[in-house]
Each structure stands twice: as structure tokens, then as C-alpha cells.
Amino acid sequence: MPRFLRTDTWTLPKCSVASNGGEQYGLWKAECQKIVPLIGSGRVITSPINNDNDQQLNADKDCNGAVSTSSLDPSTSHEGLVQNTNKKKLTNWKLILPQIGLDVVRTDRALAFYESEINQAKLWDVLAVYAWVDSDIGYVQGMNDICSPMVILLEHEADAFWCFERTMRRLRENFRCTTSSIGVQSQLGTLSTIIKTLDPQLHQHLEDLDGGEYLFAFRMLMVLFRREFSFVDALYLWELIWAMEYNPNIFSMYKEDRTVAETALKVDEKLLIKQCGKFEKEKVKTGHVDHESALAIFLVASVLEAKNKTLLKEAKGLDDVVKILDETTGKLDAKKACKAALKIQKKYLNKTKQS
């Protein structure tokens, strides 16, 4: 199973979001409130939290600012290991809270919704509870951009949490970052292959600028173009991506019920093609069953192709590449970008099929 589809490391208690999801979220939030009473108060923490001895909390962080929970003494007994693990989870979670707060107050600042501190606190609460529940990933900068639309659009906080949690089942591996790898590394590798195949001149130019790893596209993939498109266009884009990528064989893997997953895997190929979204359908038809070539990657490719002439002419270094791409922020059109991405996908699938 592809790395970003793994579900074995992330298991929530089974519950129906419609029936008792709100109750479950309430229990988790109450648990968090006992530890940090400011949660649910309508306020946001942006300053470091002190422990009982008035000492500032510290923890190891990885390359993205996410807190690491792996450094435990190997000589510790099983009981001590459990206690240390729980203590470390608590310490690391407290350390994350002010970072979440700093990101929250910077989130979608142009929107009137976040002029209210109560609404900022709603976003902070959802992210704080999620970081407590999913301690494996915790919180990483960028999750605020993914969660914000759900907090804005859904009246009830619990609904926003569950919508965010389901979204993170698809995206959480984007935020897994260590000192040796980043969550979207495999996607960046696929992007490199696509550009090298379809536009070898541009790829070579980027390689000459020491940009062959395409790290300049990191943000686009990690937060699904929240910065490159307007708020409305970004939501429209997400709807398109998830509809076009629909494949019952893949989406069943996000469910707790493995019986449903096993049933979906037995779907007849002809029926499967009918059920798939437009983007996924092309992959199934041509036999490209890899799950790393997501629509988002072809969207990045479409942005690079749109800026092809400018990049070739004006980019003399990686800073220039970043500057040219940053100029697209808030100016891209979702419909045009998707149409271009689908054309690039079709061209890429045909070319790789021939070879």
C-alpha cells in the first residue's frame, strides 16, 4: 500500500459522526480543558506555557516545527515507558499550543470572519484537540490553512473537527516531516518525472539552478494551493480534486470498516471505470495504478507550464523561481488550472504508455 494511504498508524474510536461524533469531540475537548483551561474559553494562546515549576517547556522538533515524540530512554521499564510516553505526549502537546495560536492569528487575515477572537479561538480549539488525539503527527504549520474553511463554513465546532479529521486522513502524510525526509517528497519526485518527460528543457533549466528536487513546489502540494488561489477558488479546487480523484478502491482505505475496503477491492474493472472520477478514470484505463500521481501534482505542472517562458528567461537562481511562482498567489483561476492539468495528465499518460 502506498505510504500516504496507510491507515494502520491512525485509528480513532469507531463512532458515527452523525450520531455521536459531537459527543466524542466534546469528551476529547473536555479532556484537553482539564489540562489547559483556556481551551474553550474563546481565547487563543500565543505565548509559551510554563510547567508546574514555572520552567518553560521544551521538546525536540523536526524540520517543520512539528514536535518529535520518539526520544525515550530504552532502559526504562514497560510501566515507566508508558508513563514517560504519556508525560512526553502531554509536554509536547502543551508546547504545540502557542505555535498553533501564532498560526491561527495569521490565518486568512483578509477575511472578516477572523476579525472576531471567538472565531480565531474556534479554529485554535479544533487544531488543539486534533493535535492531542493524533499525537503521531501532532500539529504542523499548514494544517491551519486546511482547517480554516471548515471552521468558517460549518456552524458547529464538532462538525468542523470531524470534517477536518476526515480530510487529514487523506492529507496527514503530507505533514510528516523528519530530519531526512518531507511528507510530500514522493509527490515532488513524481512532479520532477512529469516535467522531465513533457518539458525536458524546463526540467534541465531547473536542474541547472539546483532545483531538480522541486522543493519550491513544497507549499502548493502540502496545503493544496490555499495560498495560490483565492479562498473561494481554493474550495472550488478541492471539490474538483476530490471528485475527479474518486476511486472506490482508494477511498475505502480511509474507512475504519475493513470489510467495506475488501469489498471495494473486488469491484469489476468495467464497473470501476464507471465509478471513478474523471482524473482517476484516465489512470485506470491506461493501467497507471500508482497513487502518487495525484491531480494536485499535475496542477503544479500546469502552473510551471504556464510560467515556462518566464522561468526560462528570467530565473537565474532558485530565489527567482520562488519569486516568479509567488507572483501567482491569489491570481490563479481554478477552472483554467484544472483544464490545463487534465490536458497535461492525458499527454503524460499517452507518452509514458508509448514508451
Side-chain angles (χ1 to χ4, degrees):
M1 185 182 297
R3 182 168 173 261
F4 81 101
L5 285 175
R6 288 183 59 195
T7 57
D8 53 306
T9 57
W10 171 228
T11 305
L12 281 169
K14 289 185 179 181
C15 66
S16 167
V17 177
S19 59
N20 65 347
E23 181 182 346
Q24 179 61 72
Y25 175 72
L27 291 173
W28 283 329
K29 186 174 180 180
E31 187 178 354
C32 293
Q33 282 176 315
K34 288 180 181 178
I35 305 168
V36 178
L38 277 175
I39 288 177
S41 68
R43 295 171 58 196
V44 176
I45 291 177
T46 56
S47 302
I49 300 174
N50 293 334
N51 63 12
D52 294 335
N53 297 321
D54 237 18
Q55 296 172 321
Q56 187 173 316
L57 296 169
N58 292 294
D60 300 326
K61 291 187 178 183
D62 63 23
C63 60
N64 238 7
V67 177
S68 169
T69 57
S70 58
S71 53
L72 293 173
D73 183 355
S75 64
T76 307
S77 66
H78 175 70
E79 183 179 351
L81 185 64
V82 172
Q83 291 176 347
N84 281 346
T85 301
N86 291 337
K87 184 178 179 181
K88 195 164 187 69
K89 173 185 175 181
L90 177 61
T91 300
N92 290 339
W93 179 69
K94 282 185 175 181
L95 187 78
I96 288 173
L97 295 181
Q99 181 58 58
I100 297 176
L102 289 170
D103 290 341
V104 162
V105 297
R106 293 191 289 255
T107 303
D108 291 323
R109 286 177 297 181
L111 301 180
F113 180 83
Y114 286 119
E115 291 176 3
S116 164
E117 187 178 6
I118 292 176
N119 290 335
Q120 291 180 10
K122 184 179 175 183
L123 175 59
W124 183 67
D125 287 346
V126 170
L127 291 169
V129 174
Y130 181 84
W132 174 253
V133 176
D134 185 7
S135 57
D136 180 41
I137 294 292
Y139 171 80
V140 179
Q141 191 174 55
M143 288 183 183
N144 52 309
D145 291 310
I146 302 296
C147 187
S148 175
M150 296 148 195
V151 170
I152 292 172
L153 296 174
L154 298 172
E155 179 182 356
H156 298 292
E157 188 177 307
D159 293 338
F161 171 85
W162 285 111
C163 190
F164 176 63
E165 186 275 324
R166 289 300 193 267
T167 304
M168 284 298 293
R169 292 191 184 205
R170 289 172 52 86
L171 302 179
R172 68 191 296 272
E173 291 301 325
N174 284 1
F175 296 94
R176 190 184 295 279
C177 181
T178 68
T179 53
S180 59
S181 66
I182 57 176
V184 296
Q185 197 160 29
S186 60
Q187 295 178 58
L188 293 174
T190 302
L191 174 63
S192 174
T193 300
I194 292 169
I195 299 298
K196 185 177 181 179
T197 302
L198 299 181
D199 195 340
Q201 184 183 11
L202 177 59
H203 177 77
Q204 186 59 54
H205 181 61
L206 292 171
E207 278 212 325
D208 292 342
L209 299 179
D210 199 26
E213 293 184 350
Y214 288 71
L215 291 174
F216 50 80
F218 171 84
R219 187 184 71 186
M220 294 187 202
L221 292 172
M222 190 173 188
V223 297
L224 279 187
F225 304 95
R226 267 304 318 274
R227 309 285 177 85
E228 285 70 30
F229 290 85
S230 68
F231 182 82
V232 173
D233 261 20
L235 298 192
Y236 174 82
L237 189 67
W238 288 2
E239 292 274 4
L240 282 177
I241 288 175
W242 293 329
M244 288 186 179
E245 284 185 342
Y246 179 73
N247 181 329
N249 285 357
I250 299 173
F251 274 65
S252 60
M253 296 177 186
Y254 302 124
K255 300 177 182 289
E256 294 97 343
D257 190 345
R258 294 304 177 99
T259 304
V260 175
E262 291 170 2
T263 302
L265 290 171
K266 297 175 183 178
V267 173
D268 177 79
E269 185 173 337
K270 289 183 179 180
L271 178 60
L272 176 63
I273 291 175
K274 289 182 179 180
Q275 293 179 343
C276 285
K278 187 174 181 179
F279 173 82
E280 195 67 24
K281 189 176 294 185
E282 291 297 321
K283 288 169 60 179
V284 174
K285 283 181 179 179
T286 55
H288 285 71
V289 294
D290 65 292
H291 302 302
E292 298 298 337
S293 54
L295 178 54
I297 300 172
F298 288 93
L299 280 162
V300 177
S302 74
V303 174
L304 293 176
E305 284 300 296
K307 291 291 182 179
N308 174 292
K309 292 180 180 179
T310 306
L311 289 167
L312 290 173
K313 183 179 179 180
E314 300 179 13
K316 308 300 179 183
L318 279 182
D319 288 344
D320 293 329
V321 175
V322 173
K323 182 181 178 182
I324 290 167
L325 293 179
D326 278 348
E327 289 173 355
T328 66
T329 301
K331 299 176 182 177
L332 294 175
D333 182 275
K335 289 183 180 180
K336 290 181 180 179
C338 270
K339 286 181 180 179
L342 291 173
K343 287 181 180 178
I344 290 173
Q345 182 214 19
K346 190 171 185 178
K347 186 177 178 181
Y348 175 72
L349 292 179
N350 288 337
K351 197 155 190 176
T352 51
K353 185 179 180 180
Q354 292 172 4
S355 60

